[in-house]
Structures are given as C-alpha cells and as structure tokens.
Amino acid sequence: MDPKLKLIVRGNPREELSLLLRLHKANIYPKNCKVISQFGDVISCRILRKNLLSVYDDKATRSLKAPQVIPANYKNSRITDVSIGAFQELHQNLVSSNYKRSPVVFGIIDFGFDFGHRDFQDAYGKTRFEKIWVQPTPYRNSNKYGYGEIFNAPEMNRAITSQSPYRFLGYHPGKNDRFGRGMHGTHVLGIAASSGASGARGLASTSPIVAVDMGSSYVNGSDLSLGDSVKLIEGIDFILEQAGERPCVINLSLGGHCSDHTGKTLVEIALNNAVKNRKATVIVQSTGNYFKADCHHVGILKEGESKEITWLFKRRDPSANEIEVWYEGEDRITAELYTDNGILIGRSEPFNDAVLNYDKIQNGIIYHRSKEPNTGKNHINIILSKRPESRKLILKLKGGQVKNGEYHVYVERDDMGQSRLAPQDVDTNFTIGSICNAPLTIAVGAYNQKSLERDPMSFSSAGPTIDRRVKPEVLAPGNKIVAARSASKYQLEPGHGLIAKSGSSMAAPYVASLAVKILEKFPKLSIYEIRRLLFQSCNARKHRNQSDANQSGYGMVSYAKLRFLLKQKQRSQQSKNRLHY
C-alpha cells in the first residue's frame, strides 16, 4: 500500500477522502468510488474512509494513491524599477481595430492571479480570463468537484470597473503577499500572455485564459502550504472542459523532489493521457530548481555491501522531514537509520515497516514496499515527525539479494526547513522535478540569457529520468525575467506593476507561449508533431561536461527558428492542397 495512504486509513469512517486511482481497465470502476475526473485509466475520486480498504482490494483497482503536496517552482525575485509608461507606446498596436482573439486557450495552474492587472486585459479593457477557479476558498457556487469558487469573465469585468475590484469579486490574488514581491502565478502568466500594456508583450498575448489557483488548502485533514496532486488533476480537467473543442496549452510551474522519476506517478500518467488522447493539447512544465538542492544520491549496491548516506537538518526546522529510496524490484535492500553517534533508531528489512525512536520518543516511521504497482520498483519511504536534536542522521543501506543494484535516494522538498544530504553523498543528475517526467509533457530548464555562454542557470535541475530519457527537453530564458507583479495584500486595487524573478518557473511559460504560436497556425496537430517542431527549433549547446548536457536537453528554444519551420510547414501544406485539387 502507498505509504501516504497508510497514514489516512484511520480516522472518521464517514469522512470523504480525495484520492487518485488507476484502473485495470479504463471503463470498469471499483464499487463505492465516486469518479470526479478521468484521464484514460487514471481517475480522481471520492471515497468514504470506511470503504477505503475495500476499494483498494477491488479487482478494478490497479493503484490507489493519497494526495501529494505540489509546491511551486520558484528561485528568487527582486522588485524592479521599470516604468509602466515606457511600454504603453510600444504596444499601441494592441488597441487597433485589427485586434483578434487567439483560438488557442492558455491554461495555467499556479497561485495568485491578478485579474485586474492591465496585462491581462484585451484591446477593449475587458478581462481575458474566461474563468478562475480558486480552489482553497469556501465552496460557494456549485461545481462537480465540491470545493472552491469559480469566477467568470462577466463577474471579473464588473469588478474591474468598481472602486475596490478585489473586495467586489471576493478574491484578492495577493492576500499572502505582505512585502509586495508579487504572486508566482501572476508573474508566470505575464511572461507567456501579457497583452503588453505594462510589461513586454507575450507570445500568447491574445489568448483567452483559464486559471486554477491552488493556493493553500486542507488535504484530508492536513494543513498544507500549497495544493496537492488530486487538486492538480482536477484543475487539468477543469481547464480542458472550459476549452471545449479549442486547442489548449497548459503551463505547470510546479513540483517537488521525491518520486520514482520514471514518469509513472499517477499524476504523470494522467497528464500523459491528457495530451495523448486529446489533439491540439500541450502541457509544459518547469523542470525544477534542484541542481544545487543537495537532494539526490545514486549508487550501485552489491550483495553483502553497505552504503552510508548522511542526512543533515537545519537548526530551526519546525516541519516534518522525508526521504525516499527507490530500487529495482528484483533486489532486496535493508534500510537502517542511525544517530550521529552510532545509535540504531530504526531498521526495515524487505518488506517490513518499522517505527523510529529517537530523542526518547517515537518520532517517525519507515515504510518499505515491494514492487510499487506502476513502476515495479521497491520503495522505502522514511518520514520524521520532527528533526533530531543532533541535526544529523545516517541512512545505511545493506545489499541482500542483489541482481541490478542501482538505487536512488531523494530528500523531499520542504520550504519551511529544507533538510539535505551531505556534500560527499550528492549527485546533481536525476534532479528533475517530481511530476515532470511523463514521456509526452514538455519539461523546461532555465538558461542565463544575459551571459555570452548561455549556460544553464546554476540551480536548473538536471536529467535524465531514472529510466534514461531526456528531461528537461529544452532550455528557455530564466534569469531575472521581468513580467507582471500582482497587487500586494495591502493594495485595494491593481497596481499594474512589474517584477523580475528567476527560475525554471520563468522559463516554462515562454515555451508554453511558443506552443500557442504553433497551434494558432496548425490547430489540429498531435502532441508528437508539436514536440517535434519545438525540438527542431532548438539551438544546440556545446557542453562543458555531462552534467551540463543533462541540464540542457536538446538545447535553447529559438522563436526565429520556430517561425521559419512553421513557414516551411505552411508552404508544404499549401503545396499538398494544390496537388490534391
């Protein structure tokens, strides 16, 4: 059973749990399971806790997973002094009578969308947001998901013309922004879809926008800093339902450290099914900012051999901590955890769970699972309720029966108090984010567009996937990108400001906007054809070493090169049409 699922088995039997489930057959469902959204063989669903074990054991169920936290991929930011007026002259063409709305919907799942910012208004001063689903707000208007509030364009347009837009609508994008640094979602969206009224005009500047604000939320009784995997998949469902028959590009600048990194989490399988089964659909993801996070270790373990990995903790860390080990299903590895002075605090043989006792109390657990059903890999998940007083633990892995021997260790992301591996144990490869490993979604790394060498940013995560596929596939600019800044908590009306932020979060929306340009020209392309065009538009880099290559994918995307390819394709299609007639 999934470790996180074991944590929620006990509790109020009448409580309704939100879960992800993979079916053996896409049209046969387990009993006592309410389907909310579906992507091929993966569904999001609601199950009463009293029925959890029966659904888990049902013949229709292949895999059942509890929600996983999905944080945003940001790096740093600084407020800029950019003059708004300087941009207004540059983009006067936007208000011409030739203004034409794009047929391609731009979808985004993030947090903090400033619907009042003029960069998201059309030539006539109307909002380009068709809908914003704010997931963490009280359930006020009826929707099939059973939570959150959905705001539509007429409501937002009325709010924009009011004296206090945020109060009028009942949604303030910057309610958690005390220092005026701007919310992540507004900035990411501005890079791709700014109309050019304040900031530089995005390539998706006329696209209608459908946004999902994950915000902070409660998941099965636990207070989490951001949204979770179930809400993410239901957000995808919401965007695609709103898009209807129209082409759609979705940006996800989200992710964490831990997972199997083979693209076989239920989130990734669902995302892959979404783009594979629906034409003219693209999902672009940030690869993560984890190259220097000291979050990954890889090794080869032989029979009878032991490896020690040092796990370090911050002095002030109020949060729980987590570390995972993934290894091949044919192998058998024992995990032991020691204090820094050599005292054993927990031991897990294959495939037995074990409690952890340290600082004179039970403070954690080791879950040890055989052949996780989606990957076939064995999985060790160690969860600590608090950091040890010594601030250092030793994870010892012992090889029993070993045929392959490769194993990967990941420390989970924790924005409240990040624990790390000791420098001697760190491997910077295989550090791509937890949910961007699917075969058909497009993972984007960041490069420094301000340097002559155009090197990957020092923080930008490196591939490959554990099953040795290229990720990230492409690089895009990610150094101090200037785009829309949302109003802060203390502003009652939009400020229309700008801010510079760095990260793979800032690179992904640029690639998403390139996908919009492809679909504007060719609105019926499959994901395979779209990927081919994007990868052909890359300028390859001369790599300094293997890690540099693993950060770079197929190279840096070039809009000029893409335009040339699109013109070529258009001429080829026109030639075929003439021959046909």
Side-chain angles (χ1 to χ4, degrees):
M1 181 181 280
D2 171 45
K4 301 295 190 304
L5 206 57
K6 289 182 179 181
L7 291 173
I8 62 171
V9 166
R10 294 182 180 179
N12 179 0
R14 301 298 304 173
E15 184 180 0
E16 189 175 65
L17 305 176
S18 299
L19 304 167
L20 291 180
L21 187 149
R22 190 179 184 192
L23 304 162
H24 276 293
K25 293 184 178 179
N27 59 346
I28 301 177
Y29 308 96
K31 294 178 182 177
N32 301 312
C33 175
K34 179 183 176 184
V35 178
I36 303 298
S37 66
Q38 180 164 4
F39 295 96
D41 57 351
V42 176
I43 62 172
S44 70
C45 58
R46 305 289 184 265
I47 299 170
L48 293 179
R49 185 178 270 111
K50 68 176 184 177
N51 297 323
L52 181 60
L53 293 179
S54 66
V55 172
Y56 180 82
D57 291 329
D58 196 291
K59 290 181 180 179
T61 301
R62 179 172 176 178
S63 177
L64 184 63
K65 301 289 185 183
Q68 300 272 17
V69 181
I70 307 287
N73 281 329
Y74 64 89
K75 182 62 184 174
N76 55 51
S77 63
R78 65 178 178 83
I79 298 175
T80 61
D81 223 1
V82 180
S83 165
I84 293 174
F87 287 99
Q88 290 173 331
E89 266 185 56
L90 285 170
H91 302 287
Q92 283 180 344
N93 59 323
L94 187 65
V95 295
S96 72
S97 58
N98 296 324
Y99 177 83
K100 185 178 179 183
R101 177 168 279 208
S102 171
V104 182
V105 173
F106 192 89
I108 181 169
I109 301 180
D110 214 299
F111 61 100
F113 298 107
D114 196 338
F115 64 91
H117 199 293
R118 61 168 65 101
D119 272 357
F120 308 124
Q121 295 174 18
D122 65 16
Y124 312 104
K126 302 291 186 182
T127 184
R128 286 167 45 226
F129 283 99
E130 288 189 347
K131 285 185 179 175
I132 301 177
W133 178 21
V134 186
Q135 292 183 334
T137 59
Y139 183 45
R140 292 198 183 102
N141 46 14
S142 179
N143 64 65
K144 71 175 185 178
Y145 309 102
Y147 59 95
E149 185 168 11
I150 298 170
F151 299 103
N152 59 36
E155 291 171 323
M156 284 182 267
N157 281 326
R158 288 195 295 272
I160 289 169
T161 59
S162 71
Q163 289 186 335
S164 185
Y166 307 128
R167 187 176 296 169
F168 184 95
L169 191 64
Y171 168 59
H172 196 307
K175 68 176 182 178
N176 296 316
D177 179 14
R178 299 180 181 179
F179 305 108
R181 295 188 175 275
M183 299 300 284
H184 191 267
T186 293
H187 188 265
V188 169
L189 181 60
I191 294 167
S194 166
S195 62
S198 292
R201 187 176 183 180
L203 293 175
S205 62
T206 62
S207 282
I209 302 164
V210 181
V212 176
D213 188 329
M214 292 180 78
S216 57
S217 56
Y218 285 88
V219 182
N220 297 333
S222 298
D223 188 16
L224 302 173
S225 59
L226 287 173
D228 66 87
S229 51
V230 175
K231 290 180 170 62
L232 173 62
I233 292 308
E234 291 175 355
I236 297 289
D237 179 73
F238 172 77
I239 291 169
L240 293 180
E241 277 200 1
Q242 179 64 23
E245 299 297 316
R246 295 173 293 176
C248 185
V249 177
I250 301 174
N251 188 88
L252 304 176
S253 290
L254 310 163
H257 298 167
C258 284
S259 79
D260 56 85
H261 289 78
T262 64
K264 293 180 180 176
T265 64
L266 295 198
V267 166
E268 291 165 313
I269 294 169
L271 297 180
N272 207 65
N273 289 343
V275 297
K276 182 172 65 175
N277 298 334
R278 185 184 190 273
K279 279 207 169 189
T281 304
V282 186
I283 294 176
V284 179
Q285 300 175 269
S286 56
T287 195
N289 305 316
Y290 312 136
F291 191 78
K292 287 187 170 182
D294 296 341
C295 64
H296 171 253
H297 167 82
V298 60
I300 301 290
L301 197 61
K302 297 177 182 177
E303 284 194 21
E305 186 181 20
S306 295
K307 292 284 181 75
E308 292 188 356
I309 301 106
T310 301
W311 189 7
L312 304 175
F313 302 84
K314 287 186 174 182
R315 183 184 300 278
R316 295 180 180 178
D317 182 0
S319 56
N321 290 275
E322 185 176 354
I323 195 167
E324 290 188 349
V325 183
W326 291 86
Y327 66 100
E328 296 304 311
E330 58 195 354
D331 296 340
R332 300 292 180 269
I333 292 176
T334 295
E336 297 177 344
L337 204 61
Y338 292 85
T339 63
D340 59 343
N341 56 4
I343 298 173
L344 178 67
I345 60 174
R347 185 173 193 268
S348 172
E349 295 183 352
F351 293 96
N352 297 302
D353 299 340
V355 297
L356 295 170
N357 294 289
Y358 60 94
D359 298 341
K360 302 178 182 179
I361 193 171
Q362 181 181 325
N363 273 318
I365 193 163
I366 305 176
Y367 293 110
H368 200 155
R369 188 178 191 186
S370 169
K371 294 185 178 178
E372 191 277 332
N374 303 294
T375 62
K377 292 181 182 291
N378 300 328
H379 178 211
I380 300 170
N381 189 192
I382 302 174
I383 301 172
L384 308 181
S385 59
K386 75 177 190 70
R387 70 152 180 84
E389 290 178 7
S390 64
R391 295 174 49 219
K392 179 163 75 170
L393 294 176
I394 307 299
L395 173 62
K396 181 181 282 189
L397 302 177
K398 293 183 173 181
Q401 173 190 322
V402 176
K403 291 183 179 179
N404 181 290
E406 181 173 304
Y407 66 90
H408 291 261
V409 178
Y410 287 95
V411 177
E412 186 54 287
R413 179 173 164 181
D414 176 11
D415 294 337
M416 291 183 68
Q418 183 66 59
S419 59
R420 298 176 180 271
L421 301 177
Q424 70 271 15
D425 296 322
V426 170
D427 185 286
T428 55
N429 299 308
F430 307 98
T431 52
I432 39 182
S434 56
I435 60 167
C436 64
N437 301 278
L440 295 178
T441 60
I442 298 164
V444 184
Y447 76 86
N448 185 0
Q449 77 282 3
K450 297 178 183 290
S451 72
L452 290 174
E453 295 81 9
R454 299 293 195 267
D455 288 335
M457 297 295 286
S458 61
F459 51 74
S460 189
S461 293
T465 61
I466 287 179
D467 56 342
R468 296 337 192 250
R469 287 177 291 108
V470 174
K471 290 279 181 179
E473 286 103 335
V474 299
L475 289 174
N479 183 21
K480 296 178 182 176
I481 307 297
V482 177
R485 182 178 74 207
S486 59
S488 75
K489 177 180 181 178
Y490 306 107
Q491 289 178 256
L492 299 178
E493 55 187 56
H496 311 300
L498 304 172
I499 190 172
K501 293 177 183 280
S502 300
S504 61
S505 279
M506 285 69 248
Y510 180 71
V511 176
S513 69
L514 291 178
V516 168
K517 302 312 287 184
I518 294 173
L519 287 171
E520 285 177 345
K521 294 285 186 185
F522 301 99
K524 294 183 180 179
L525 289 187
S526 71
I527 187 61
Y528 302 98
E529 296 168 299
I530 295 164
R531 283 169 60 88
R532 192 179 304 114
L533 280 166
L534 277 173
F535 301 161
Q536 287 174 348
S537 75
C538 288
N539 292 319
R541 295 187 61 257
K542 193 171 183 179
H543 306 304
R544 299 183 179 189
N545 50 47
Q546 189 57 49
S547 287
D548 183 276
N550 289 340
Q551 285 180 289
S552 300
Y554 299 114
M556 303 170 292
V557 289
S558 165
Y559 182 35
K561 210 167 180 180
L562 178 63
R563 280 186 298 181
F564 174 76
L565 291 170
L566 291 175
K567 284 178 182 177
Q568 268 192 329
K569 186 174 178 63
Q570 214 165 17
R571 284 195 292 268
S572 173
Q573 196 171 74
Q574 288 168 350
S575 178
K576 284 179 184 177
N577 290 340
R578 281 196 296 270
L579 286 171
H580 179 72
Y581 290 106

